[in-house]
Amino acid sequence: MEDEKPTIRAVERALDVLLCFTAGTEWGLTEISQRVGLHKSTVFRLLATLEHRGFVVRDEATEKYRLGLRILELSAHTRADDPAVLMLGEMVRLRDQLGETISLYVRDRKDRVRIQAVQSEQAVRRVAPIGARLPLSVGASSKVLLAFAEPDVRDALIADWSWPSERDKAAYLGQLAEIVAQGYATSFEEREPGAAAVSAPIFDRSGKLHAALSVSGPSNRLTPDVMQDRAPAIIGAAKRMGTLLG
C-alpha cells in the first residue's frame, strides 16, 4: 500500500469542505460541518477564507454555499494531455454506439474515482457525476481496477481491515482471475438495485493499468447476455484509449 505522507491539517480541512460539493451543489454551514466532522465555528472560518478567495459563494437568501468561479478558472486550465480530456472523444463515440452512460475510473488508494463521464441520451439512464468516489469492493470497474492491478497492491487492498468481512477473499480472488482471463468484468445490481455495468481495463503503452472504462445502464437493458455481446466493443474502445497515453 502507499505510504502515508505528511500533510498540513488546515489545508486538508479546507479541501474536505470543497469535496462536499462532489455530492451536492449547495450546502448549509451545519450540513458541511456534519459531513466533514468539524465544529461549525471551524467550518465557518474555512468557508470565509474560501469565499474571500472565490472558491465558494454564499447565497444570502438561503444562507447556503456553492462553488465559486475560481473553480471554473482552475478547470479551464486542465492540461490537454490529461487522460480525462484525451479520452473524451472516444467515450462519446462509444456512448453513441451503445446508447448507455460511459464512465472512466481510476483507483485512489482504497476507492475508485470517476474522472470522466458521458451521459446516455436515453430517457431512462444511469447518471454518473464526475468526481464521485466509490468503494473498490463492489462494481464492474472496481473488479477491473483490482484484477489488473499489481499483485501486491491488489492483495494488500483485499487484506485491508476496511474490506467487507462478509466477502470470501479466496472466492473473490478466483473471480478476479477469471476477469483477467476474459478481459472484462460485469456487475448486475451489485451496488444498487436496477443498475448494471460492464468494464474493461485501459493500459498505457508500457502495459501498466491506467484506468477502467465502464458502460452502465438499467439492468433491464444491460442484461448479462447483452453485456457479454457488447464486451468486445468496450474492450476495443479501451485499447484505442490506451494508445492515446504516453
Side-chain angles (χ1 to χ4, degrees):
M1 299 294 292
E2 297 93 342
D3 293 333
E4 293 294 330
K5 297 180 179 179
T7 59
I8 299 174
R9 184 61 182 142
V11 177
E12 279 192 333
R13 289 175 169 178
L15 292 173
D16 286 341
V17 168
L18 287 176
L19 287 172
C20 287
F21 295 93
T22 63
T25 56
E26 289 188 334
W27 296 100
L29 174 61
T30 300
E31 294 171 320
I32 295 175
S33 174
Q34 292 172 344
R35 290 185 67 88
V36 300
L38 296 173
H39 194 276
K40 284 199 293 185
S41 62
T42 301
V43 174
F44 179 79
R45 291 194 297 271
L46 291 169
L47 286 168
T49 302
L50 292 170
E51 184 180 13
H52 176 69
R53 300 303 297 269
F55 288 96
V56 299
V57 175
R58 183 175 180 270
D59 188 312
E60 296 295 336
T62 63
E63 297 187 346
K64 290 192 174 185
Y65 294 84
R66 65 179 186 273
L67 291 177
L69 293 177
R70 188 55 61 89
I71 296 293
L72 294 177
E73 291 179 34
L74 288 176
S75 64
H77 290 84
T78 302
R79 287 175 45 146
D81 60 352
D82 187 299
V85 177
L86 282 174
M87 298 179 187
L88 184 57
E90 194 67 49
M91 293 174 69
V92 171
R93 283 189 285 274
L94 187 62
R95 187 274 312 275
D96 293 344
Q97 178 185 357
L98 302 182
E100 302 293 356
T101 295
I102 313 299
S103 299
L104 195 66
Y105 291 93
V106 297
R107 183 180 67 84
D108 182 25
R109 300 191 181 187
K110 301 176 185 179
D111 300 316
R112 58 181 164 111
V113 179
R114 185 183 293 116
I115 64 170
Q116 187 59 280
V118 179
Q119 309 294 343
S120 168
E121 295 179 335
Q122 301 201 53
V124 179
R125 60 186 176 182
R126 289 276 295 132
V127 177
I130 297 173
R133 181 176 293 269
L134 301 167
L136 271 176
S137 57
V138 65
S141 58
S142 291
K143 296 174 189 176
V144 163
L145 292 172
L146 286 173
F148 295 93
E150 296 179 358
D152 58 334
V153 172
R154 177 199 63 215
D155 294 344
L157 285 165
I158 295 177
D160 191 81
W161 65 269
S162 61
W163 191 260
S165 58
E166 69 275 9
R167 180 70 57 81
D168 186 303
K169 295 179 181 179
Y172 193 71
L173 286 171
Q175 184 180 4
L176 295 182
E178 293 176 1
I179 290 169
V180 172
Q182 68 184 9
Y184 69 95
T186 63
S187 64
F188 192 82
E189 299 188 339
E190 288 185 8
R191 194 170 65 85
E192 58 182 289
V198 55
S199 181
I202 298 174
F203 301 101
D204 63 22
R205 295 183 184 180
S206 70
K208 182 179 179 180
L209 177 66
H210 186 86
L213 174 66
S214 179
V215 176
S216 60
S219 56
N220 63 344
R221 285 204 306 260
L222 282 182
T223 64
D225 287 342
V226 169
M227 289 192 287
Q228 184 177 1
D229 289 342
R230 294 185 174 184
I234 300 166
I235 293 171
K239 289 181 179 179
R240 290 191 296 273
M241 291 180 187
T243 64
L244 300 174
L245 299 170

